[in-house]
Amino acid sequence: MPSFTNAHQLSEWSDYVQIGLRQVFEDTLPQQPKLYGPWLKEVQAKDWIENKVVNTGLGAMPTKEIGGEFHTDKKINSTKVAFELAAYGLATVMEYELVQWDKYDVFTEMTKELAKAAIDRLNIIGYSVLNNGFGTTTNYTIYNGEAIFNTAHVRLDGGAWKNRPTTDTSLSYLALQQAKIDLATLVNERGRYLRVTGKQLIVHPANRWVAETLIKSTLRPGTANNDANTIQGEFEIHDSPFLTDEENFFVWGNKSDVQIELRLGKDGGPVFRQYADPRSWNVIQQAYMSVGLAVLHSQGAWGSSP
């Protein structure tokens, strides 16, 4: 049987194949929604491990006697909190013959599936903030070790603040009124008002119809009188199946003000690589990303877990 020394091999053309498949991967990413986008801020990580602190800011300006000295004040800093990225990766291996005789575009579909798997993982990580927000699991507590949502947070100056109802309650008109009150009277670490307005109402899909009734009704829902619905149109409703408890709900202010972030590694998100195994010519596709949460402070977020 003749031997060929100049045969075109898959390994020689893998770079060209990779360019096309990488484009499929990158085109698929934006088609998969990052459901946490409306409420959770994404940032580019500067280092694999980053240290952050919370500071109080200054207190309210005191009176000054005519001709007297000025009072002085300084910020109070918390201890440093470290936030570390974690690596995520997934690979598929396809036999050379499958690639060569890929009549039904299985090869391309597997590339798309890698992109979908990556975005699913990002959604799981993002919503883990809410799913773990009522406990003290490691990586899901604010700078001082308290739960993200708490009825009595301790301030750096010794005072207190809250972002959870004293008695957890189900989603209702009165519950949303309480959320509005708690956010409107929210104070910083020195007791100064922050003037937070709730923007997003985050619910499980099972509770979306309740949320729409509460927010979209002209008159106050659930009553026989003609009282005006004072929260009509006040919140943007956001529902997600990535919430693990159907009854939990959350009210979120501007995501740029809440010090909870999803940190993305140097590549800025999922990246794709493909190469051929020279021993078998099997094609190996890989997707990789580095991601981490930075839960520093939860002022501006409110939650209830009935």
Side-chain angles (χ1 to χ4, degrees):
M1 183 170 180
S3 61
F4 300 95
T5 58
N6 294 316
H8 289 90
Q9 298 183 352
L10 178 63
S11 58
E12 296 175 339
W13 291 85
S14 62
D15 288 344
Y16 298 96
V17 175
Q18 182 174 182
I19 291 173
L21 292 176
R22 183 185 299 140
Q23 192 63 53
V24 170
F25 182 87
E26 293 176 353
D27 288 347
T28 304
L29 288 176
Q31 299 174 21
Q32 311 306 310
K34 294 180 178 179
L35 298 179
Y36 56 82
W39 61 271
L40 182 60
K41 179 170 57 176
E42 275 188 357
V43 297
Q44 186 75 48
K46 298 177 181 178
D47 295 290
W48 186 266
I49 299 177
E50 292 183 17
N51 294 298
K52 300 190 178 192
V53 298
V54 171
N55 66 69
T56 60
L58 301 178
M61 184 181 292
T63 59
K64 174 187 173 299
E65 295 181 4
I66 301 298
E69 295 182 355
F70 283 87
H71 294 275
T72 61
D73 196 4
K74 66 178 182 179
K75 297 179 179 180
I76 305 172
N77 291 326
S78 70
T79 56
K80 289 192 299 185
V81 185
F83 301 107
E84 184 174 359
L85 296 175
Y88 294 85
L90 184 64
T92 62
V93 180
M94 284 170 284
E95 292 181 347
Y96 171 72
E97 289 74 18
L98 170 61
V99 177
Q100 288 292 90
W101 299 91
D102 189 11
K103 179 178 179 181
Y104 299 105
D105 291 328
V106 173
F107 198 29
T108 301
E109 286 303 314
M110 289 305 296
T111 306
K112 293 181 179 179
E113 285 300 318
L114 281 175
K116 294 175 182 178
I119 299 299
D120 259 5
R121 175 52 58 186
L122 285 175
N123 279 318
I124 291 170
I125 295 171
Y127 281 92
S128 67
V129 170
L130 303 181
N131 293 328
N132 293 280
F134 299 99
T136 54
T137 303
T138 303
N139 298 328
Y140 298 103
T141 56
I142 63 173
Y143 72 95
N144 59 3
E146 295 173 347
I148 295 172
F149 305 102
N150 202 319
T151 59
H153 288 287
V154 178
R155 303 195 317 240
L156 284 173
D157 70 352
W161 64 281
K162 60 179 292 192
N163 63 346
R164 180 179 184 177
T166 303
T167 301
D168 284 315
T169 181
S170 298
L171 179 60
S172 67
Y173 184 83
L174 292 178
L176 292 180
Q177 289 286 10
Q178 186 61 55
K180 287 182 59 178
I181 293 170
D182 288 343
L183 290 174
T185 57
L186 187 65
V187 294
N188 69 4
E189 295 287 342
R190 289 297 292 271
R192 292 166 51 200
Y193 290 113
L194 292 172
R195 300 177 178 87
V196 174
T197 301
K199 302 293 185 182
Q200 296 281 337
L201 172 57
I202 308 168
V203 298
H204 188 276
N207 255 342
R208 184 176 181 96
W209 69 273
V210 178
E212 290 185 341
T213 300
L214 294 171
I215 303 304
K216 296 183 178 181
S217 298
T218 303
L219 302 178
R220 178 173 171 176
T223 64
N225 52 39
N226 290 326
D227 288 351
N229 180 10
T230 60
I231 60 173
Q232 182 187 9
E234 187 151 337
F235 304 101
E236 180 179 338
I237 302 170
H238 171 75
D239 69 278
S240 173
F242 286 95
L243 289 176
T244 55
D245 193 309
E246 293 185 4
E247 295 303 315
N248 290 355
F249 69 98
F250 309 87
V251 175
W252 216 265
N254 290 321
K255 65 179 180 180
S256 59
D257 296 331
V258 182
Q259 297 183 64
I260 300 176
E261 301 171 341
L262 186 67
R263 301 172 61 236
L264 300 178
K266 284 192 173 182
D267 294 309
V271 292
F272 175 82
R273 297 288 184 272
Q274 178 269 328
Y275 62 93
D277 185 338
R279 300 168 301 177
S280 61
W281 291 6
N282 290 346
V283 175
I284 302 172
Q285 295 184 345
Q286 298 172 327
Y288 170 87
M289 62 184 176
S290 52
V291 187
L293 284 171
V295 181
L296 183 63
H297 212 315
S298 56
Q299 287 179 330
W302 188 96
S304 180
S305 179

